[in-house]
Amino acid sequence: MLPRRDKCLSALFITGVTCLFSSMAHAAYEYNLTPPASTLTQEIFDLHMLTTIVGTIIMALVTGMIIYALINFRHAKGAVPDQEFHNGWFGRWAWVLVPVIVLSIDLTIASSASSTLSSVESHDKADVTVKVIGSQWKWTYEYMDDDIKIVSNLKKLEPTDPLYLRDVDDPLVLPTGKRVRFLLTSSDVLHNWGIAEIVPKKINIPGYINETWTNITKEGTYRGQCYENCGTGHAFMPAVVRAVSPTEYEQWKVTRKAQQAQAAAEASADKVWAKAELMAKGEAVYTKNCLACHQANGQGLPGVFPALAGSKIANNSAALAEHIAIVVKGKAGTAMAAWGPQLNDLDIAAVVTYERNAWGNTAGELVQPKDIKAAR
Amino acid sequence: MSVATTHDHHHDHHGPPRGWQRWVYSTNHKDIGTMYLFFALFMLFFGGAMAMYIRAELFMPGVQLASPDFYNNMVTDHALVMVFGMVMPAAAGMANWMIPMMIGAPDMALPRLNNLSFWLLPAAAILLMLSIVAPYIFPDGGTPVNTGWTLLPPLSVQNGIGMDFTIFAIHTLGVSSILASINIVTTILNMRAPGMTMMKMPLFVWAWFFTALLLIAVMPVLAGAVTMLLFDRHFGTSFFDAAGGGDPILFQHLFWFFGHPEVYVLLLPSIGVLGLVIPTFARKPLFGYKALVYGMGILAALGMVVWAHHQYTIGMSLVATNYFMIGTILISIPVGLMLMNFIFTMWRGSMTFETPMLFGIAIILMFSFAGVTGVMLAVVPADMQYHDTMFVVAHFHYALIPGAVFGLYAGVFYWLPKWTGHMYNERLGQIFFWWTTISFNLTFFPQHFSGLAGMPRRIVDYSIQYTEFNMISSIGGFLFGLSHLLFLFIIIQTIRGGAKAPAKPWEGSQIGTPGLEWTLPSPPPFHSFTEAPVIK
Ligand code: HEM
Ligand SMILES: [Cu+2]
């Protein structure tokens, strides 16, 4: 029979360990790196587990030694300090021994890391190439081999929704089992397109192009976000990838291209649009692209983003050309982006019309796509 | 009045000048040290208040307290205040107080310069505070400084006028640090008492010697980088603008060429304190004194050449990345050596557990842990997953709070009797230790998990999957913040009275390579050594 105290202790221990494991079982990955869903991230995940385990063992050793010392070398226990300890053989050789042990652990880790690093940096031929452009505060995806462009904006949800800050209106669609290359860049400040399940991160730098890649192994939706501080909207830049089978991917491409062609035809026609049409379209464009900074009520954020309601540009008939120019070309040195390359003539015409007629603005002009074409 | 009579006058009274002039015009290393320490204490509460705001905002998902830009401004200034306003001045205060006394010098080598390097600090603090309010008080003030303490362009070029104040604050802080460092190096090299060879110096003096050299080497680089930033902002240059032929990544290289050695600037003085505290309370000389001195030198040197491990995701060549990875992993060698030396100093010793020793033991454990996560981060492909997540925040707080801040606390408790002539209340000291240590772990341990699960750093709002970890973190953070009121109380209580401290308050403080401070009464006289002590 065990003594009573030991029984209590072992019961406690067993309960504790069971609790730990049961809680880990159903939420395993909330404590760890997200489960990998590509060949490359799987390799990285294994590397991560290697260093974690080595680290845990080292911590156990250090903690063990300290606890042993605390128990045995106490003044209260009458321990007598060994004033010559550092002069013994151990004292004379420890400064070599310990570094050699640490070095060998280091080299084990470094060699395994180095080979994974070569996989990350391999530049094999890709099946699909996507250019990922970060801008304040959304992602734009351009398929380099197909004429497809996706603009991914935060989908506004309540803070109680499971997908709060994790969902976008238009995700990137990719095929599984293909090598996908990402070219990363930015149109304004540094951003960092990160989805841990499928890619190792590289930052998006304005004026430069970085590269990373994936080969997704499982269909599904993968969520990440911006990891480089990019200012006001940094917390509101989710990145979502929908991975589908190659056949579904091909079908999706066909439908998508048809939709885009239709929208483009509509925008470039020299059609003259009525006010109601322009206002409705303008509000949609505004909500998607401008609202994050200039706010729903057009008041902006004082000192940070200028108000459009009653502004010297948007509410002044003499300043129409200036208004169009700032939307098309942006304003250097501020968060105001150049929308010319991102929106078509119709969208810009509509949003400028909307801004001049909403929130009590009385400038009143209707701007047509052909005006924008002329201003570009 | 001739110089000679002034001199005599001083000697007659052996007392400090009276009134405000004693402080404002001070050239006395102890008075300047005291001012540094009080300045640091003030900044601890200032930076701490910002941390409390950050944790309150992150308590739940949703933006509750202020705008995202204000939040980012607080994250930026919390770091700048804690690093430049708290840790560095506190360490410099200890250097001022202790180095001359330890090496048997009458004062610092350049006392008037010493006065200047202190008074630049309050000026910089005022500039920093202005940078926070500037966007709100100037019409068209632009955005607050929302970049994080790394001030990365192009975002920092977009910021409003607050960024200019931040840049000037950094210039001022930099000048102060460089002047103080020159003074310390000169003092150590020239003012040692006869017989005090370099290899007889207490470890704290060595630690500051390397710290000062590092600062002299890297501070000018930061100053240059922010000056270039200033030019990009106002004078039409494009150092960091690709459109004008510049490179945004250049700033990162310059910043981290300063920033990585800076981490050792924060760490080394505290390691120096540990090198005195652990032997004292283990009653046994430091194990491997020489190895530690060389280890610190190697650490400082290696620290200068691995800066780009903060930038693994910028897209470097494979060769460069491999170099920075291996270099960084190798840092674990001097760090491991250091920790080993401390553990084997305790081995076969005879330990008692006064407050400084408790902090010492906790530092060894928690700093080892920071080293372990550091090696994980050094591994490039894995870091491409960890980078800019809360995992990094957890890592550097485990490095900085035990490695730098707790080391300073250990120093404060170790030397309070010497500084004030009174013993502090040991019971309260121990309560403070347990309170901070437990709440510190409660605050930062969960951040490893939320970081691995993917929560980015520097975000004002997060998705609900991270709620639990952030709530625990916030509760821990508030408790950690609160514990510092006890710290303040203990210090005030000790200054105002308490048991009279003997010249050697700690039984073991004369073992190994002790400094000469223990040969002086507590508190030491206004002019520490009027005659040079001789060491046999
Ligand atoms: C009550 C104590 C503290 C709390 C609750 C706290 C909390 C935080 C938080 C929440 C962040 C922002 C994380 C993010 O980037 O999203 C942060 C950043 C930081 N803290 Fe602390 N902190 C404390 C004490 C300290 C101390 C004492 C130091 C310095 C020795 C320090 C140095 C830093 C640094 C360098 C950063 C990085 C800021 C950046 O990169 O923008 N902290 N802290
Ligand atoms: Cu971003």
Side-chain angles (χ1 to χ4, degrees), chain B residues 178-199:
Chain B
I178 292 174
L179 296 183
S181 301
I182 292 175
N183 211 343
I184 288 171
V185 172
T186 319
T187 307
I188 296 174
L189 290 181
N190 293 331
M191 309 276 286
R192 295 191 314 279
M196 169 71 79
T197 60
M198 291 294 267
M199 276 302 167

Side-chain angles (χ1 to χ4, degrees), chain B residues 376-390:
Chain B
M376 292 173 71
L377 287 161
V379 168
V380 183
D383 182 66
M384 287 171 166
Q385 305 286 28
Y386 312 140
H387 184 65
D388 270 337
T389 65
M390 292 304 280

Side-chain angles (χ1 to χ4, degrees), chain A residues 48 68 73 75 79 81-83 98 106 114 136 159 164 166 196 201 203 208 210 227 229 232 234 303-304, chain B residues 69 142-143 146 158 283 285 313-315 322 329 332 340 348 350-351 385-388 454 458 461 463-465:
Chain A
H48 156 75
Y68 183 88
F73 307 126
H75 195 62
D82 179 354
Q83 300 296 354
V98 171
D106 284 359
S114 210
Q136 288 166 326
Y164 177 62
R166 312 256 306 154
K201 291 192 292 247
I203 61 174
Y208 289 79
N210 254 326
Y227 282 91
N229 187 0
T232 317
H234 172 50
V304 182
Chain B
D69 279 326
T143 46
N146 61 7
Q158 275 184 10
R283 293 171 176 72
T313 57
I314 60 170
N322 261 316
I329 294 180
S332 59
M340 168 204 88
R348 300 186 62 80
S350 175
M351 286 188 272
Q385 305 286 28
Y386 312 140
H387 184 65
D388 270 337
R458 299 179 176 137
D461 195 4
S463 57
I464 58 174
Q465 58 172 330

Side-chain angles (χ1 to χ4, degrees), chain B residues 51-52 54 75 78-79 82 87 149 396-397 444 457-458 480:
Chain B
M52 295 301 102
I54 295 174
V75 170
H78 162 67
M82 287 297 193
V87 177
W149 79 301
F396 70 66
H397 279 90
F444 294 102
R457 62 191 287 216
R458 299 179 176 137
F480 189 56

Side-chain angles (χ1 to χ4, degrees), chain B residues 78-106:
Chain B
H78 162 67
L80 292 175
V81 164
M82 287 297 193
V83 169
F84 292 103
M86 200 281 272
V87 177
M88 289 171 67
M94 288 184 187
N96 262 301
W97 250 101
M98 301 315 297
I99 291 178
M101 291 199 323
M102 283 177 164
I103 62 175

